[in-house]
Amino acid sequence: MSQVFGTPRLPAHAVARTDRLGRAITLAPVLPERRAILFTGPPGAGKTRELDHAQELAARHGWTAIRVEASAREPLEHRFTRAIGADLSKLRREFGGFRVRKLRRAVRDLTQRQRKVQHGAEVRIGGGPVQFVTKKQWDATPQDNLGTTLHDVADRLGELAPDRPVLLMVDNVDAASPYDLAGLNELAEHLEHSGRPVWLVAAGGSLSTSRLLAASQRVPFEVRELGPMSDAELTSILTVPLERAGIPYEQAGVDALVRSANGDPGRLRTLADTALELGGITAGGAAAAIERVQSRSAVLYQARWDKSTNPQKAVLAAVAGGQPLAEIPGQWQQIDEARQELVARGLIRESAEQPLVADPGMQSWLNKTLSQAAPQVPSLAPAAGIPSLEAGPARTAGQVLGTAREPSYTVDRQDAEGRPISLDQRVPGGTTVLFTGEPGMGKSRELERAQGLAAREGWIAVRVEASPREPLENRLIRAISQDLDAVREHFGAGAARTLKKDLDQLAGRSRHPQSGNEVRVGVPGAFQVVAKEQHESDEVDEVGSTLNELADRLGEIAAAKGEPLLLMVDNLDNASDRDLVAVTELSARLEQNRRPVFLIAAGSDRTTSRLLAASGGQAGIETDVVSRFDIRKLEPFTDAELRPALAEPLRQAAVPHTPEAVDHLVRAANGNPARLRALATTALTLSTTLTTPVAEQATTHHDEASRPLYEAAWHNCTPAEKSLLAQAAQTTPGIPLPPATNSRWPVESAATRPLAQGLLRATPTHLTLANPGLRTYLQTRLNHTTPHSTPQLTTASGRPTPRTPERGDRPLHLNR
């Protein structure tokens, strides 16, 4: 094989990749504000090459880069431990042994585990031919070692040189377990808020965004999609190496190879190498090379076909033959899911009207194999409808709007009765406060305000985040242990010592003592017969303490000082059922104690129903514990309430703007402050003056950039949920809720999860899409043309839910 064009990871000529909006994909020397970047794309799109480039960038600038590859065989912490351990000597030479000391300790503790060592003692009686021996053994590790986390390791790396970036790089995230994916999300969130110069750079397939969203209901990454290259980009990849090597070529041959490559640089390299083997890049050589490559690839085409499921085969056959997807028999949700999986596999590509087979050779093979006439393959050049956007001055967004946790303008929220929602404006009505609402409504921001209140008043506030990766007890133990110095300062050394003992007991476990007896008969040192017995001790197990006992101790400490103490738990949606049981038990204990210890938590509306079930334990029948919570729901803003959140920062920063532009962004936000912030950030990146055309362009730009997240949310929906979202996307003002009859219950059941995830929004009479950008995406994807009434919901087995036909009902299709 010729080496004129290089290899996939070391191409002879590389082009700077851009997305469909004209934004740079490849990392530049000026790193982005977002601390987590995820490269996605189908196989062969160049994701690993982007990580290679980032690693080369770090080497040129003297940055620290730690690179691992996710694996299904071992946890991500183990791979990071090994990679950082291998670089410790290099880091020691750069920063000195003293500065690397904390990092070395954190790396050691990251995977440290107890060895379950047992201690023992025995007593021997008798020195003659007969000896009686009694002995006892017990565990020497009575406490679980919670160790450190990847957060601590990242912090230690960031402390080495505050002015030098650190890149933590993870390739092939598709191979990671859900446990590791949740860990990556948490690490990305931590880096975003830590302020340290540490970036997380990851790469995965087209469905990695969906898997990250499913792991912990969020994707805190800046997603950069690597799509097909343009013909101009492919032409330079082909002609520049030829000119450097002094190899003549015909433009007609180049054009033929580029058309056959169809946006895939790997396929172009194979075609060009084959053409050189056959005599050169001419029109005839290109035709011969295309025929040979397609012939050799037939076995691969067959394997891809054999690997496909029946719905995927149906989609492949329809796309290859130009048949509309709406005409494929079967449930449209299964067809849509097969379509998305084929896109992730790189076999088909989306286009404005009809998906297309990515490899023209496979399209020809499919049509020949399935005895269909091959349709003309449309060009897959990037759409010309979206202009390339030039970045504005770097100062704008962050300085004007502030950060998500510390916005430059704070909007005071009120409930339906006009009462303030924030704890710094309204004291809690009990010992447990629960902030609820759809994503983006500001629940975490309310915890920030409560934490700020505690800081101003000099109170202790311990904040953790619920996670599917580890029990809530572990996170609270670690967080309180890290705040023991503050406890000592506020409440005295005695209180800190007592609390430390309680924390140790909370992590304690049974020591499983064993006892035994032996009788030895014979001459010691010559010959002995031993009879022995060993059994577990009858002693009571040391079961340690629970969060309730910890709450008792914290209550005693806080009451003695007369100073509140806040226990804060964010993102309760990710908590396990066992953790929610612990939360309800802790809440009941705090109310019973009536001490100045408060539990402040945040989660979606669905969390409330999960807490009700958890309060009943194994039975699942709710108690009245949750009814005594001070539940504060953050409803969507009205336009009048949301407008100052943008208008005031613009006015204070003296940014030129028009009221009409502000109104456009506020309407596009649809009551969601997080979406308004994202839209405004995009607008301020496009221009230093906010006008209506800029606001409209920013809305289009942001919605197009959010398409990977919309696809991820759509992919994770059940068939019934997809039916509901599809129906909501094509009706105004939304789906009317049926009367309180049997036809209503399937609709409410299907809406439960989309409502909690912020995809749907409920009114007393309708279900609507919460995000106008998602509506646009679904309308484009599904291209509905006829109105429908209530959606056709399906059961878990895939069979439609029985429903009495209503006048005007029509089947729900994928009309592409």
Side-chain angles (χ1 to χ4, degrees):
M1 177 178 289
S2 167
Q3 291 299 312
V4 173
F5 306 104
T7 65
R9 294 186 65 171
L10 293 173
H13 176 67
V15 297
R17 304 291 296 272
T18 57
D19 62 12
R20 64 177 61 83
L21 292 170
R23 301 174 303 175
I25 289 178
T26 303
L27 280 185
V30 178
L31 294 173
E33 289 187 13
R34 293 288 298 272
R35 286 298 201 268
I37 300 98
L38 174 66
F39 296 106
T40 67
K47 306 179 292 292
T48 297
R49 172 59 195 152
E50 291 300 322
L51 292 193
D52 291 341
H53 175 83
Q55 201 165 8
E56 295 163 3
L57 184 70
R60 286 198 304 271
H61 292 274
W63 304 341
T64 299
I66 308 294
R67 182 170 179 174
V68 300
E69 185 165 330
S71 169
R73 297 185 299 109
E74 64 178 338
L76 203 57
E77 287 92 343
H78 290 193
R79 299 217 156 187
F80 267 120
T81 299
R82 208 159 37 242
I84 298 173
D87 278 355
L88 275 179
S89 58
K90 176 185 174 183
L91 295 173
R92 196 176 291 109
R93 288 194 302 271
E94 291 185 20
F95 303 107
F98 181 78
R99 299 177 69 182
V100 177
R101 185 182 74 258
K102 286 185 178 180
L103 174 63
R104 181 168 53 82
R105 185 182 304 120
V107 170
R108 180 196 65 201
D109 292 343
L110 183 61
T111 53
Q112 188 178 34
R113 55 196 174 99
Q114 299 292 359
R115 301 177 65 183
K116 297 184 180 178
V117 177
Q118 284 197 336
H119 288 173
E122 68 178 30
V123 176
R124 300 185 180 217
I125 302 175
V130 178
Q131 283 185 315
F132 175 76
V133 181
T134 181
K135 63 181 181 179
K136 185 176 182 179
Q137 292 178 222
W138 62 90
D139 285 347
T141 52
Q143 293 178 8
D144 287 330
N145 182 7
L146 301 181
T148 59
T149 67
L150 278 176
H151 298 182
D152 302 300
V153 174
D155 289 345
R156 301 295 84 78
L157 282 166
E159 291 169 355
L160 291 178
D163 57 340
R164 288 173 56 180
V166 175
L167 303 186
L168 297 177
M169 310 171 71
V170 184
D171 200 1
N172 195 27
V173 298
D174 301 88
S177 67
Y179 176 88
D180 281 343
L181 293 176
L184 286 176
N185 281 337
E186 292 175 12
L187 179 59
E189 290 269 11
H190 175 75
L191 297 179
E192 194 70 34
H193 301 305
S194 70
R196 293 184 172 86
V198 182
W199 277 259
L200 175 61
V201 186
S206 299
L207 291 184
S208 56
T209 312
S210 300
R211 294 194 64 222
L212 284 165
L213 181 64
S216 52
Q217 299 304 312
R218 56 186 170 176
V219 184
F221 285 83
E222 177 186 315
V223 181
R224 301 188 176 189
E225 281 189 291
L226 284 89
M229 287 188 174
S230 67
D231 288 353
E233 291 172 328
L234 288 182
T235 299
S236 69
I237 288 176
L238 184 57
T239 57
V240 171
L242 290 173
E243 292 169 355
R244 287 175 181 169
I247 299 175
Y249 61 88
E250 293 180 2
Q251 190 60 44
V254 170
D255 293 342
L257 294 179
V258 167
R259 283 194 302 272
S260 184
N262 201 24
D264 189 326
R267 188 180 304 123
L268 176 65
R269 188 177 297 107
T270 301
L271 291 166
D273 282 334
T274 305
L276 289 179
E277 292 176 7
L278 296 176
I281 310 254
T282 62
I290 293 169
E291 183 179 356
R292 175 171 293 186
V293 169
Q294 291 183 358
S295 176
R296 290 174 176 175
S297 300
V299 63
L300 184 59
Y301 299 151
Q302 182 69 57
R304 287 172 174 164
W305 175 261
D306 292 341
K307 181 179 180 293
S308 301
T309 63
N310 289 342
Q312 290 174 356
K313 288 180 178 178
V315 172
L316 275 174
V319 171
Q323 176 188 4
L325 296 185
E327 298 178 5
I328 301 176
Q331 289 189 349
W332 71 266
Q333 297 95 330
Q334 293 181 349
I335 301 302
D336 186 83
E337 183 176 359
R339 163 188 172 181
Q340 193 154 358
E341 290 167 346
L342 289 170
V343 170
R345 292 173 61 189
L347 301 187
I348 67 173
R349 290 183 190 152
E350 298 285 8
S351 70
E353 298 299 329
Q354 169 85 356
L356 306 168
V357 178
D359 183 349
M362 186 170 186
Q363 175 159 328
S364 299
W365 180 88
L366 285 168
N367 288 323
K368 180 179 179 181
T369 302
L370 303 174
S371 301
Q372 295 176 345
Q376 182 180 359
V377 181
S379 171
L380 288 181
I386 301 176
S388 176
L389 302 175
E390 298 294 334
R395 91 168 183 91
T396 51
Q399 295 180 355
V400 173
L401 302 173
T403 65
R405 290 200 169 191
E406 295 183 2
S408 56
Y409 180 82
T410 299
V411 178
D412 294 330
R413 312 291 295 272
Q414 293 183 339
D415 61 15
E417 300 176 17
R419 299 177 301 173
I421 284 181
S422 301
L423 282 174
D424 57 357
Q425 296 181 328
R426 175 176 141 219
V427 298
T431 52
T432 299
V433 181
L434 177 63
F435 292 102
T436 67
E438 66 183 57
M441 283 298 116
K443 303 183 294 293
S444 295
R445 174 60 188 151
E446 291 303 323
L447 296 193
E448 290 289 337
R449 292 185 65 162
Q451 207 166 0
L453 171 66
R456 292 192 301 272
E457 298 293 336
W459 306 336
I460 290 181
V462 178
R463 182 171 177 177
V464 300
E465 186 165 315
S467 168
R469 305 183 78 235
E470 120 182 275
L472 188 60
E473 290 94 333
N474 291 13
R475 299 209 156 193
L476 282 171
I477 292 169
R478 186 182 300 113
I480 297 174
S481 298
Q482 292 171 350
D483 271 355
L484 279 179
D485 288 340
V487 173
R488 188 176 296 105
E489 179 182 345
H490 278 73
F491 304 112
R497 261 193 318 271
T498 304
L499 183 57
K500 176 64 168 62
K501 187 182 302 181
D502 290 334
L503 292 172
D504 291 342
Q505 290 180 347
L506 184 59
R509 54 190 172 89
S510 174
R511 303 178 71 176
H512 301 298
Q514 290 187 335
S515 299
N517 298 305
E518 293 183 4
V519 176
R520 301 180 180 227
V521 180
V523 179
F527 175 80
Q528 284 186 315
V529 177
V530 180
K532 66 179 182 179
E533 177 190 57
Q534 190 162 322
H535 51 80
E536 288 190 1
S537 173
D538 293 333
E539 297 178 12
V540 177
D541 283 344
E542 297 176 8
V543 295
S545 59
T546 67
L547 283 179
N548 291 349
E549 282 72 35
L550 179 63
D552 294 343
R553 182 67 64 191
L554 293 173
E556 293 173 5
I557 294 173
K561 185 76 178 290
E563 186 176 289
L565 193 151
L566 310 184
L567 298 177
M568 310 175 74
V569 183
D570 199 359
N571 199 27
L572 268 182
D573 299 271
N574 276 337
S576 66
D577 291 340
R578 181 179 182 276
D579 281 345
L580 293 181
V581 170
V583 168
T584 57
E585 291 179 353
L586 177 60
S587 173
R589 191 60 161 256
L590 292 178
E591 185 189 29
Q592 173 187 335
N593 291 343
R594 305 304 295 177
R595 301 288 179 84
V597 179
F598 297 88
L599 175 62
I600 305 170
S604 70
D605 295 333
R606 189 185 182 203
T607 302
T608 310
S609 60
R610 290 185 65 205
L611 284 166
L612 282 171
S615 69
Q618 293 290 337
I621 304 300
E622 61 260 32
T623 66
D624 63 347
V625 171
V626 180
S627 64
R628 297 194 291 272
F629 285 12
D630 182 354
I631 300 178
R632 306 187 180 190
K633 182 173 182 179
L634 282 77
E635 300 283 359
F637 282 90
T638 65
D639 288 355
E641 291 171 331
L642 198 55
R643 188 175 291 105
L646 177 57
E648 282 302 310
L650 293 174
R651 183 186 63 79
Q652 293 172 6
V655 175
H657 63 281
T658 64
E660 294 77 13
V662 172
D663 290 343
H664 175 88
L665 294 180
V666 168
R667 286 193 302 271
N670 198 29
N672 190 313
R675 177 171 166 82
L676 176 65
R677 176 182 176 78
L679 290 166
T681 298
T682 303
L684 293 173
T685 303
L686 298 177
S687 174
T688 56
T689 301
L690 184 56
T691 61
T692 301
V694 171
E696 292 172 347
Q697 189 180 24
T699 303
T700 302
H701 180 100
H702 173 73
D703 289 341
E704 182 63 23
S706 300
R707 187 180 58 80
L709 301 181
Y710 300 151
E711 286 184 345
W714 176 255
H715 182 260
N716 287 333
C717 288
T718 66
E721 292 166 352
K722 285 184 177 180
S723 292
L724 207 57
L725 291 175
Q727 184 71 18
Q730 49 132 15
T731 56
T732 302
I735 303 174
L737 287 172
T741 62
N742 287 343
S743 63
R744 180 183 180 113
W745 318 140
V747 176
E748 289 189 344
S749 177
T752 300
R753 215 164 58 100
L755 285 169
Q757 295 171 344
L759 304 179
L760 286 175
R761 188 174 290 172
T763 69
T765 58
H766 288 81
L767 291 172
T768 64
L769 286 179
N771 189 332
L774 178 62
R775 174 187 293 275
T776 302
Y777 165 76
L778 290 177
Q779 288 175 342
T780 302
R781 182 181 184 91
L782 304 175
N783 195 18
H784 291 296
T785 57
T786 57
H788 303 80
S789 59
T790 51
Q792 178 72 26
L793 302 179
T794 57
T795 62
S797 63
R799 292 188 297 272
T801 302
R803 181 169 65 87
T804 303
E806 297 177 3
R807 181 171 298 180
D809 280 4
R810 295 180 176 87
L812 191 59
H813 290 306
L814 281 172
N815 301 317
R816 297 293 304 180

